Amino acid sequence: MSTFQRLESPSFQSSCELCREAGGAMIFQSAHWRVIRAEDAAFPAFYRVVWRAHVAEWSDLSLAHQAEVMGVVTAVERVLREALAPTKINLASLGNVTPHLHWHVIARFDWDSHYPAPVWAAAAREVAPPPVERLGLALDALDARVARAVAALAPGA
Ligand SMILES: [Zn+2]
């Protein structure tokens, strides 16, 4: 797993959590973006694609950078589909709490605690055994597959 390195950039905002910290388990970092895993026990296969520079809105990115980010989001989604066969993939970009551009890529299952509501809604049920044990794949193996897939898309790769 790679190590989080702050982006030395005029856009850095010390008040912003995603400028200061990785925001989860570091999976891969390129010059422009990083992929982290959210470390949410209820949703173990929950990744985020974070644009490294501090921009708040999707339309702040050029079309070329939007295409780059969507390529990474798509690569993460494909790994989750192939590795886990989830009921559904959820993609979201909200940023209400942390207005630093990031995409959520979440494998959802019809047995998960919130399904079919969004992960941010109230839980609908208790899940046992724990979700991580129901994935059928160890998280470090899943992380490695995600890292391999997105590394191929890094600028200069
Ligand atoms: Zn930021």
PDB file of all heavy atoms in Angstrom, residues 66-85:
ATOM      1  N   GLN A  66     -11.547  15.472 -15.831  1.00  0.00           N
ATOM      2  CA  GLN A  66     -12.783  14.730 -15.537  1.00  0.00           C
ATOM      3  C   GLN A  66     -12.705  13.323 -16.127  1.00  0.00           C
ATOM      4  O   GLN A  66     -13.073  12.335 -15.479  1.00  0.00           O
ATOM      5  CB  GLN A  66     -13.999  15.463 -16.091  1.00  0.00           C
ATOM      6  CG  GLN A  66     -14.338  16.742 -15.344  1.00  0.00           C
ATOM      7  CD  GLN A  66     -15.508  17.490 -15.968  1.00  0.00           C
ATOM      8  OE1 GLN A  66     -16.019  17.104 -17.013  1.00  0.00           O
ATOM      9  NE2 GLN A  66     -15.915  18.572 -15.325  1.00  0.00           N
ATOM     10  N   ALA A  67     -12.196  13.250 -17.368  1.00  0.00           N
ATOM     11  CA  ALA A  67     -12.089  11.937 -18.017  1.00  0.00           C
ATOM     12  C   ALA A  67     -11.094  11.053 -17.251  1.00  0.00           C
ATOM     13  O   ALA A  67     -11.318   9.841 -17.098  1.00  0.00           O
ATOM     14  CB  ALA A  67     -11.649  12.103 -19.471  1.00  0.00           C
ATOM     15  N   GLU A  68     -10.026  11.669 -16.759  1.00  0.00           N
ATOM     16  CA  GLU A  68      -9.032  10.901 -15.989  1.00  0.00           C
ATOM     17  C   GLU A  68      -9.669  10.341 -14.713  1.00  0.00           C
ATOM     18  O   GLU A  68      -9.503   9.155 -14.389  1.00  0.00           O
ATOM     19  CB  GLU A  68      -7.859  11.828 -15.659  1.00  0.00           C
ATOM     20  CG  GLU A  68      -6.680  11.125 -15.014  1.00  0.00           C
ATOM     21  CD  GLU A  68      -5.529  12.101 -14.735  1.00  0.00           C
ATOM     22  OE1 GLU A  68      -5.373  13.106 -15.472  1.00  0.00           O
ATOM     23  OE2 GLU A  68      -4.791  11.845 -13.767  1.00  0.00           O
ATOM     24  N   VAL A  69     -10.419  11.172 -14.008  1.00  0.00           N
ATOM     25  CA  VAL A  69     -11.058  10.725 -12.760  1.00  0.00           C
ATOM     26  C   VAL A  69     -12.084   9.635 -13.054  1.00  0.00           C
ATOM     27  O   VAL A  69     -12.147   8.615 -12.357  1.00  0.00           O
ATOM     28  CB  VAL A  69     -11.728  11.911 -12.031  1.00  0.00           C
ATOM     29  CG1 VAL A  69     -12.580  11.421 -10.865  1.00  0.00           C
ATOM     30  CG2 VAL A  69     -10.671  12.890 -11.536  1.00  0.00           C
ATOM     31  N   MET A  70     -12.886   9.827 -14.114  1.00  0.00           N
ATOM     32  CA  MET A  70     -13.910   8.817 -14.418  1.00  0.00           C
ATOM     33  C   MET A  70     -13.269   7.500 -14.822  1.00  0.00           C
ATOM     34  O   MET A  70     -13.827   6.425 -14.555  1.00  0.00           O
ATOM     35  CB  MET A  70     -14.839   9.319 -15.526  1.00  0.00           C
ATOM     36  CG  MET A  70     -15.993  10.154 -15.007  1.00  0.00           C
ATOM     37  SD  MET A  70     -17.059   9.255 -13.847  1.00  0.00           S
ATOM     38  CE  MET A  70     -16.747  10.157 -12.347  1.00  0.00           C
ATOM     39  N   GLY A  71     -12.090   7.564 -15.450  1.00  0.00           N
ATOM     40  CA  GLY A  71     -11.367   6.332 -15.766  1.00  0.00           C
ATOM     41  C   GLY A  71     -11.000   5.570 -14.501  1.00  0.00           C
ATOM     42  O   GLY A  71     -11.115   4.334 -14.445  1.00  0.00           O
ATOM     43  N   VAL A  72     -10.590   6.305 -13.483  1.00  0.00           N
ATOM     44  CA  VAL A  72     -10.198   5.672 -12.216  1.00  0.00           C
ATOM     45  C   VAL A  72     -11.443   5.123 -11.507  1.00  0.00           C
ATOM     46  O   VAL A  72     -11.446   3.984 -11.020  1.00  0.00           O
ATOM     47  CB  VAL A  72      -9.439   6.681 -11.317  1.00  0.00           C
ATOM     48  CG1 VAL A  72      -9.069   6.040  -9.988  1.00  0.00           C
ATOM     49  CG2 VAL A  72      -8.192   7.194 -12.033  1.00  0.00           C
ATOM     50  N   VAL A  73     -12.507   5.925 -11.477  1.00  0.00           N
ATOM     51  CA  VAL A  73     -13.765   5.463 -10.855  1.00  0.00           C
ATOM     52  C   VAL A  73     -14.239   4.176 -11.543  1.00  0.00           C
ATOM     53  O   VAL A  73     -14.632   3.205 -10.883  1.00  0.00           O
ATOM     54  CB  VAL A  73     -14.842   6.573 -10.936  1.00  0.00           C
ATOM     55  CG1 VAL A  73     -16.232   6.038 -10.592  1.00  0.00           C
ATOM     56  CG2 VAL A  73     -14.475   7.747 -10.015  1.00  0.00           C
ATOM     57  N   THR A  74     -14.184   4.167 -12.859  1.00  0.00           N
ATOM     58  CA  THR A  74     -14.634   2.993 -13.616  1.00  0.00           C
ATOM     59  C   THR A  74     -13.765   1.777 -13.322  1.00  0.00           C
ATOM     60  O   THR A  74     -14.274   0.656 -13.172  1.00  0.00           O
ATOM     61  CB  THR A  74     -14.612   3.312 -15.130  1.00  0.00           C
ATOM     62  OG1 THR A  74     -15.450   4.444 -15.360  1.00  0.00           O
ATOM     63  CG2 THR A  74     -15.099   2.139 -15.952  1.00  0.00           C
ATOM     64  N   ALA A  75     -12.459   1.996 -13.197  1.00  0.00           N
ATOM     65  CA  ALA A  75     -11.554   0.873 -12.907  1.00  0.00           C
ATOM     66  C   ALA A  75     -11.854   0.272 -11.532  1.00  0.00           C
ATOM     67  O   ALA A  75     -11.883  -0.957 -11.373  1.00  0.00           O
ATOM     68  CB  ALA A  75     -10.102   1.340 -12.978  1.00  0.00           C
ATOM     69  N   VAL A  76     -12.114   1.136 -10.545  1.00  0.00           N
ATOM     70  CA  VAL A  76     -12.449   0.628  -9.204  1.00  0.00           C
ATOM     71  C   VAL A  76     -13.767  -0.145  -9.263  1.00  0.00           C
ATOM     72  O   VAL A  76     -13.888  -1.254  -8.734  1.00  0.00           O
ATOM     73  CB  VAL A  76     -12.533   1.777  -8.174  1.00  0.00           C
ATOM     74  CG1 VAL A  76     -12.995   1.251  -6.815  1.00  0.00           C
ATOM     75  CG2 VAL A  76     -11.180   2.494  -8.046  1.00  0.00           C
ATOM     76  N   GLU A  77     -14.753   0.436  -9.959  1.00  0.00           N
ATOM     77  CA  GLU A  77     -16.049  -0.240 -10.083  1.00  0.00           C
ATOM     78  C   GLU A  77     -15.897  -1.621 -10.715  1.00  0.00           C
ATOM     79  O   GLU A  77     -16.484  -2.604 -10.240  1.00  0.00           O
ATOM     80  CB  GLU A  77     -17.017   0.609 -10.922  1.00  0.00           C
ATOM     81  CG  GLU A  77     -18.304  -0.145 -11.260  1.00  0.00           C
ATOM     82  CD  GLU A  77     -19.335   0.679 -12.001  1.00  0.00           C
ATOM     83  OE1 GLU A  77     -19.593   1.817 -11.604  1.00  0.00           O
ATOM     84  OE2 GLU A  77     -19.902   0.152 -12.986  1.00  0.00           O
ATOM     85  N   ARG A  78     -15.091  -1.714 -11.769  1.00  0.00           N
ATOM     86  CA  ARG A  78     -14.919  -3.008 -12.452  1.00  0.00           C
ATOM     87  C   ARG A  78     -14.301  -4.045 -11.529  1.00  0.00           C
ATOM     88  O   ARG A  78     -14.701  -5.209 -11.528  1.00  0.00           O
ATOM     89  CB  ARG A  78     -14.052  -2.835 -13.701  1.00  0.00           C
ATOM     90  CG  ARG A  78     -14.780  -2.163 -14.826  1.00  0.00           C
ATOM     91  CD  ARG A  78     -14.239  -2.611 -16.205  1.00  0.00           C
ATOM     92  NE  ARG A  78     -15.083  -2.013 -17.242  1.00  0.00           N
ATOM     93  CZ  ARG A  78     -14.695  -1.004 -18.012  1.00  0.00           C
ATOM     94  NH1 ARG A  78     -13.475  -0.511 -17.899  1.00  0.00           N
ATOM     95  NH2 ARG A  78     -15.522  -0.491 -18.909  1.00  0.00           N
ATOM     96  N   VAL A  79     -13.305  -3.635 -10.747  1.00  0.00           N
ATOM     97  CA  VAL A  79     -12.690  -4.583  -9.811  1.00  0.00           C
ATOM     98  C   VAL A  79     -13.723  -5.077  -8.804  1.00  0.00           C
ATOM     99  O   VAL A  79     -13.822  -6.277  -8.532  1.00  0.00           O
ATOM    100  CB  VAL A  79     -11.479  -3.950  -9.078  1.00  0.00           C
ATOM    101  CG1 VAL A  79     -11.012  -4.859  -7.934  1.00  0.00           C
ATOM    102  CG2 VAL A  79     -10.336  -3.689 -10.052  1.00  0.00           C
ATOM    103  N   LEU A  80     -14.518  -4.158  -8.266  1.00  0.00           N
ATOM    104  CA  LEU A  80     -15.518  -4.562  -7.271  1.00  0.00           C
ATOM    105  C   LEU A  80     -16.540  -5.514  -7.890  1.00  0.00           C
ATOM    106  O   LEU A  80     -16.940  -6.501  -7.264  1.00  0.00           O
ATOM    107  CB  LEU A  80     -16.216  -3.332  -6.673  1.00  0.00           C
ATOM    108  CG  LEU A  80     -15.309  -2.352  -5.921  1.00  0.00           C
ATOM    109  CD1 LEU A  80     -16.143  -1.240  -5.279  1.00  0.00           C
ATOM    110  CD2 LEU A  80     -14.465  -3.047  -4.869  1.00  0.00           C
ATOM    111  N   ARG A  81     -16.953  -5.233  -9.125  1.00  0.00           N
ATOM    112  CA  ARG A  81     -17.929  -6.116  -9.777  1.00  0.00           C
ATOM    113  C   ARG A  81     -17.340  -7.504 -10.012  1.00  0.00           C
ATOM    114  O   ARG A  81     -17.996  -8.522  -9.776  1.00  0.00           O
ATOM    115  CB  ARG A  81     -18.384  -5.514 -11.107  1.00  0.00           C
ATOM    116  CG  ARG A  81     -19.239  -4.272 -10.936  1.00  0.00           C
ATOM    117  CD  ARG A  81     -19.666  -3.710 -12.274  1.00  0.00           C
ATOM    118  NE  ARG A  81     -20.565  -4.622 -12.979  1.00  0.00           N
ATOM    119  CZ  ARG A  81     -20.922  -4.459 -14.250  1.00  0.00           C
ATOM    120  NH1 ARG A  81     -20.459  -3.424 -14.946  1.00  0.00           N
ATOM    121  NH2 ARG A  81     -21.745  -5.303 -14.809  1.00  0.00           N
ATOM    122  N   GLU A  82     -16.102  -7.526 -10.516  1.00  0.00           N
ATOM    123  CA  GLU A  82     -15.490  -8.820 -10.851  1.00  0.00           C
ATOM    124  C   GLU A  82     -15.152  -9.623  -9.598  1.00  0.00           C
ATOM    125  O   GLU A  82     -15.296 -10.838  -9.578  1.00  0.00           O
ATOM    126  CB  GLU A  82     -14.229  -8.585 -11.694  1.00  0.00           C
ATOM    127  CG  GLU A  82     -14.554  -8.097 -13.101  1.00  0.00           C
ATOM    128  CD  GLU A  82     -13.336  -7.519 -13.823  1.00  0.00           C
ATOM    129  OE1 GLU A  82     -12.205  -7.699 -13.335  1.00  0.00           O
ATOM    130  OE2 GLU A  82     -13.535  -6.871 -14.868  1.00  0.00           O
ATOM    131  N   ALA A  83     -14.687  -8.920  -8.556  1.00  0.00           N
ATOM    132  CA  ALA A  83     -14.208  -9.634  -7.359  1.00  0.00           C
ATOM    133  C   ALA A  83     -15.344 -10.030  -6.439  1.00  0.00           C
ATOM    134  O   ALA A  83     -15.256 -11.049  -5.749  1.00  0.00           O
ATOM    135  CB  ALA A  83     -13.200  -8.764  -6.615  1.00  0.00           C
ATOM    136  N   LEU A  84     -16.412  -9.233  -6.395  1.00  0.00           N
ATOM    137  CA  LEU A  84     -17.418  -9.411  -5.345  1.00  0.00           C
ATOM    138  C   LEU A  84     -18.820  -9.705  -5.859  1.00  0.00           C
ATOM    139  O   LEU A  84     -19.684 -10.105  -5.075  1.00  0.00           O
ATOM    140  CB  LEU A  84     -17.485  -8.146  -4.464  1.00  0.00           C
ATOM    141  CG  LEU A  84     -16.153  -7.689  -3.853  1.00  0.00           C
ATOM    142  CD1 LEU A  84     -16.338  -6.359  -3.125  1.00  0.00           C
ATOM    143  CD2 LEU A  84     -15.597  -8.744  -2.903  1.00  0.00           C
ATOM    144  N   ALA A  85     -19.068  -9.480  -7.147  1.00  0.00           N
ATOM    145  CA  ALA A  85     -20.424  -9.635  -7.687  1.00  0.00           C
ATOM    146  C   ALA A  85     -21.477  -9.005  -6.774  1.00  0.00           C
ATOM    147  O   ALA A  85     -22.396  -9.682  -6.303  1.00  0.00           O
ATOM    148  CB  ALA A  85     -20.732 -11.112  -7.941  1.00  0.00           C
TER     149      ALA A  85
END
